[in-house]
Amino acid sequence: METAAMVWTAAVAAVGLIYWFVWVMGAAEVKGKRAVDLKMGSITRDKVEDKYRQYWSFFRRPKETAEASSENVPVFVDTFYNLVTDIYEWGWGQSFHFSPSIPGRSHRDATRLHEERVVDLVGARPGHRVLDVGCGVGGPMRAIAARSGAHVVGITINEYQVGRARAHNKKSGLDALCEVVCGNFLEMPFPDSSFDGAYSIEATCHAPRLEDVYAEIFRVLKPGALYVSYEWVTTALYRADDPDHVETIHGIERGDALPGLRAHDEIASIARKVGFEVLDERDLARPPAGPWWTRLKMGRIAYWRNHILVSVLTLLRIAPKGVVEVHEMLYETARHLTRGGETGIFTPMDMILCRKPPFAAGHQESSSS
């Protein structure tokens, strides 16, 4: 009788533990995804491992690869987001970016405030049509639309993210204000001078040439409209002759589908080259802002929990083969990002505020040179 009671107790405890791991701790920050729902985007289950290997091979030496075959970068960025979107939603939430930590405030609050800053910077208001360049699954879009009342149009290269963003928009009751389009931000399917404002949050870093995406944004903005971007860049502290610095930056590039990080002092000149007036530029990560990498460091215990979980789900064939490798890649990338933040050689929020001149044409000749 005692043995039976012990077995029964152990069984109940095991079921409770599995439920906690999968349904409670396995959900996204805003209940967007559960571990049992990891699909790897539009990649079929039998192709996930192959696609991961192809991605890793392409971005093993990011700058050299991008320079040799820049036309293939969008394809592999699309592959990257097929591989990571569900994991990002599950473990991070619906906003795929960083934000400065704020004492006494949750990560969710800090993220929302970081996004809502865009509303004031571009002057978004009801009646405006605002472009979100690289919208992901639409976390920032919904925050900005809700705060401003503007109609926000997001573009993402990944078809799977389009479906996720539309589902979230509908669920949040913001589908009337939020529109999502699948497309390449290097060749956007919008007419000239069709937006009252634009923003990009940690997205244009995927462009092989920043001037190409900036030129497209310039083209679709109305004269006098404002554009703000939060850019991933190396800071003035980065030293190209320091092996540790180089490895940290290469680690960030490899694990985030980046064809080479740009230096902080390049951004404004590129914006001016395509015709923008630069109104402001500053690193939003500098003090008194709290460290943006805190959340990554706090996630180490969660990593091991999640690693065990995805390993078990893969073993049980609930999750596709290859998920464990993708999860390990993201953890290793988080280590490099943390190191970049702690040493101060990298920032994901170098903010640049630009304006299309009031009497500007839709496109500058210099942008295509």
Side-chain angles (χ1 to χ4, degrees):
M1 191 69 177
E2 245 179 65
T3 303
M6 288 175 65
V7 170
W8 175 249
T9 301
V12 170
V15 170
L17 185 63
I18 291 171
Y19 176 84
W20 181 78
F21 254 63
V22 178
W23 276 272
V24 179
M25 297 304 289
E29 185 179 354
V30 195
K31 302 293 181 183
K33 271 286 173 182
R34 295 179 306 176
V36 292
D37 296 326
L38 299 179
K39 294 180 181 177
M40 302 294 99
S42 59
I43 302 173
T44 57
R45 291 177 61 92
D46 60 322
K47 298 293 184 184
V48 171
E49 194 170 32
D50 287 343
K51 288 293 184 182
Y52 167 73
R53 287 173 178 166
Q54 290 169 20
Y55 165 83
W56 192 248
S57 176
F58 184 82
F59 277 105
R60 187 178 296 276
R61 293 180 177 85
K63 279 194 175 180
E64 293 89 333
T65 300
E67 289 171 1
S69 54
S70 60
E71 70 280 0
N72 291 325
V73 170
V75 174
F76 283 97
V77 170
D78 183 33
T79 296
F80 173 76
Y81 280 110
N82 273 323
L83 292 170
V84 305
T85 291
D86 277 357
I87 295 178
Y88 277 0
E89 274 204 67
W90 170 46
W92 193 263
Q94 296 172 20
S95 295
F96 298 174
H97 65 80
F98 297 105
S99 57
S101 57
I102 302 173
R105 305 293 290 268
S106 68
H107 292 306
R108 190 185 302 183
D109 284 344
T111 297
R112 177 180 52 80
L113 292 169
H114 193 54
E115 293 166 349
E116 289 179 348
R117 185 197 299 251
V118 168
V119 175
D120 298 324
L121 288 169
V122 303
R125 60 180 185 271
H128 274 191
R129 192 165 181 256
V130 177
L131 176 63
D132 182 331
V133 183
C135 65
V137 299
M141 171 193 298
R142 288 182 288 279
I144 289 164
R147 169 73 185 276
S148 68
H151 184 86
V152 183
V153 180
I155 184 169
T156 172
I157 199 169
N158 186 261
E159 185 68 50
Y160 182 71
Q161 289 188 337
V162 171
R164 293 298 298 164
R166 287 174 178 168
H168 289 311
N169 292 345
K170 186 173 182 180
K171 187 175 180 181
S172 63
L174 289 166
D175 47 330
L177 286 178
C178 297
E179 177 185 346
V180 191
V181 174
C182 187
N184 185 346
F185 59 33
L186 299 174
E187 300 175 306
M188 292 191 282
F190 307 121
D192 294 356
S193 304
S194 53
F195 288 95
D196 300 289
Y199 65 89
S200 52
I201 299 179
E202 303 182 26
T204 57
C205 49
H206 292 299
R209 284 168 30 102
L210 189 61
E211 49 264 60
D212 292 343
V213 62
Y214 274 15
E216 268 293 89
I217 295 165
F218 186 93
R219 179 183 67 80
V220 302
L221 281 176
K222 294 177 181 178
L226 298 172
Y227 164 59
V228 66
S229 184
Y230 298 169
E231 294 287 349
W232 281 32
V233 298
T234 56
T235 72
L237 296 177
Y238 173 71
R239 296 288 178 267
D241 58 353
D242 186 321
D244 290 337
H245 285 194
V246 172
E247 176 53 27
T248 295
I249 296 305
H250 281 181
I252 293 170
E253 293 168 342
R254 286 193 300 264
D256 282 299
L258 306 181
L261 278 168
R262 284 166 273 272
H264 70 102
D265 55 3
E266 296 179 57
I267 308 304
S269 61
I270 292 173
R272 292 189 182 99
K273 178 183 177 183
V274 306
F276 278 119
E277 299 171 350
V278 176
L279 305 182
D280 191 13
E281 184 184 16
R282 50 200 159 97
D283 183 2
L284 299 180
R286 292 178 66 84
W292 54 266
W293 59 90
T294 303
R295 192 175 175 192
L296 290 172
K297 295 184 73 170
M298 291 174 64
R300 288 176 182 171
I301 294 174
Y303 163 76
W304 287 108
R305 178 203 74 206
N306 293 348
H307 180 74
I308 293 169
L309 183 52
V310 295
S311 298
V312 170
L313 292 175
T314 301
L315 187 66
L316 296 175
R317 298 188 177 181
I318 295 172
K321 192 176 180 182
V323 172
V324 173
E325 288 83 355
V326 174
H327 188 256
E328 287 176 348
M329 176 188 76
L330 294 179
Y331 177 70
E332 181 66 12
T333 306
R335 186 177 67 81
H336 289 297
L337 286 162
T338 301
R339 182 66 177 158
E342 289 177 334
T343 58
I345 65 172
F346 164 77
T347 177
M349 52 192 75
D350 187 67
M351 186 277 290
I352 184 167
L353 178 63
C354 306
R355 180 173 62 183
K356 181 174 180 176
F359 304 105
H363 187 74
Q364 293 290 305
E365 291 298 326
S366 61
S367 66
S368 58
S369 59

